Amino acid sequence: GESVGLHLPTLSVQEGDNSIINCAYSNSASDYFIWYKQESGKGPQFIIDIRSNMDKRQGQRVTVLLNKTVKHLSLQIAATQPGDSAVYFCAENASGTYKYIFGTGTRLKVLA
Amino acid sequence: EAGVAQSPRYKIIEKRQSVAFWCNPISGHATLYWYQQILGQGPKLLIQFQNNGVVDDSQLPKDRFSAERLKGVDSTLKIQPAKLEDSAVYLCASRRAGATYNEQFFGPGTRLTVL
């Protein structure tokens, strides 16, 4: 299938290492944030979310950090696996709109 | 539970031609979204439906793009006439009424190439 991330920033990590993917968001009124994973030829898939009243949330092997002061999100993936290779997008949502604004994305390559 | 279905998966047309994409959301999902994803970018919302009504179409280029969801279920997105810059993946997503913010499910997309 085609790649959705030919011109995206790329992060290459060794299998088993931790990955950190960063995202800057634009709207200070946004109060809900999601990280999506998009594999080639597929639509985005939900990974983890966080509300603006939190600064950290953990899932299975993933952690999202939110810094509202500088409008910055990060996604940390522990013990990165080959199946984590994909393009990762952050998306922001302003309260009550159910309208999601996506960032530009980062391509994660996991090296064996 | 079946996911969001889209067809066709791929389409190649020449500029100035017309094209239509079809989306069948997850059963019972009242909210339906169409996104445009240009290569190397994140998805951009084109239009959002709640049942058969339009909630937001502020970023839909209405001179050439149209969308409808007549019976509040399936939706079609049309481009007429197409331009080179319309080459992109068109994603459909759906969400059930009352769902939390994270429950937006995407289809596989239709990749459009305009020559």
Side-chain angles (χ1 to χ4, degrees):
Chain A
E2 80 288 354
S3 168
V4 297
L6 286 179
H7 306 292
L8 293 170
T10 298
L11 174 67
S12 297
V13 299
Q14 288 293 137
E15 182 178 355
D17 287 353
N18 297 334
S19 303
I20 300 177
I21 300 170
N22 297 303
C23 175
Y25 64 92
S26 56
N27 187 355
S28 56
S30 293
D31 60 358
Y32 179 75
F33 305 89
I34 303 177
W35 279 100
Y36 285 95
K37 173 185 180 182
Q38 187 172 26
E39 297 174 285
S40 185
K42 297 183 179 180
Q45 179 184 11
F46 170 85
I47 302 174
I48 191 168
D49 57 354
I50 189 168
R51 292 195 176 276
S52 60
N53 61 353
M54 304 171 70
D55 53 21
K56 179 179 180 179
R57 190 163 189 225
Q58 288 185 291
Q60 186 176 16
R61 280 203 308 120
V62 293
T63 300
V64 54
L65 300 178
L66 173 63
N67 185 330
K68 294 181 289 294
T69 303
V70 294
K71 293 191 287 188
H72 182 268
L73 276 170
S74 67
L75 176 70
Q76 301 178 0
I77 305 174
T80 311
Q81 302 170 359
D84 295 327
S85 292
V87 177
Y88 290 81
F89 294 98
C90 66
E92 59 184 295
N93 177 274
S95 182
T97 66
Y98 297 107
K99 177 179 174 180
Y100 306 85
I101 299 172
F102 284 76
T104 53
T106 298
R107 183 182 183 88
L108 176 65
K109 283 189 176 179
V110 181
L111 309 172
Chain B
E1 180 181 70
V4 177
Q6 291 188 246
S7 67
R9 290 298 313 277
Y10 303 91
K11 189 73 177 179
I12 300 174
I13 61 172
E14 295 188 349
K15 60 183 180 184
R16 291 187 290 273
Q17 285 187 323
S18 302
V19 65
F21 314 125
W22 174 81
C23 172
N24 179 228
I26 294 172
S27 179
H29 281 202
T31 307
L32 185 147
Y33 307 83
W34 281 104
Y35 291 86
Q36 180 191 58
Q37 186 174 24
I38 293 172
L39 190 64
Q41 299 181 17
K44 183 185 84 170
L45 180 67
L46 292 175
I47 189 167
Q48 177 183 348
F49 290 96
Q50 181 74 16
N51 296 309
N52 61 350
V54 175
V55 173
D56 186 335
D57 63 357
S58 57
Q59 297 198 83
L60 187 73
K62 297 179 188 65
D63 58 333
R64 297 183 302 104
F65 285 65
S66 64
E68 59 183 16
R69 195 184 183 201
L70 293 175
K71 296 182 179 179
V73 181
D74 294 3
S75 178
T76 55
L77 176 69
K78 297 179 181 178
I79 307 175
Q80 179 180 8
K83 294 185 175 181
L84 295 176
E85 59 262 36
D86 298 332
S87 293
V89 174
Y90 291 84
L91 294 163
C92 179
S94 72
R95 187 178 154 275
R96 66 176 174 83
T100 57
Y101 285 96
N102 61 10
E103 292 182 42
Q104 176 184 210
F105 298 94
F106 285 85
T110 296
R111 178 163 177 83
L112 173 68
T113 301
V114 182
L115 303 175

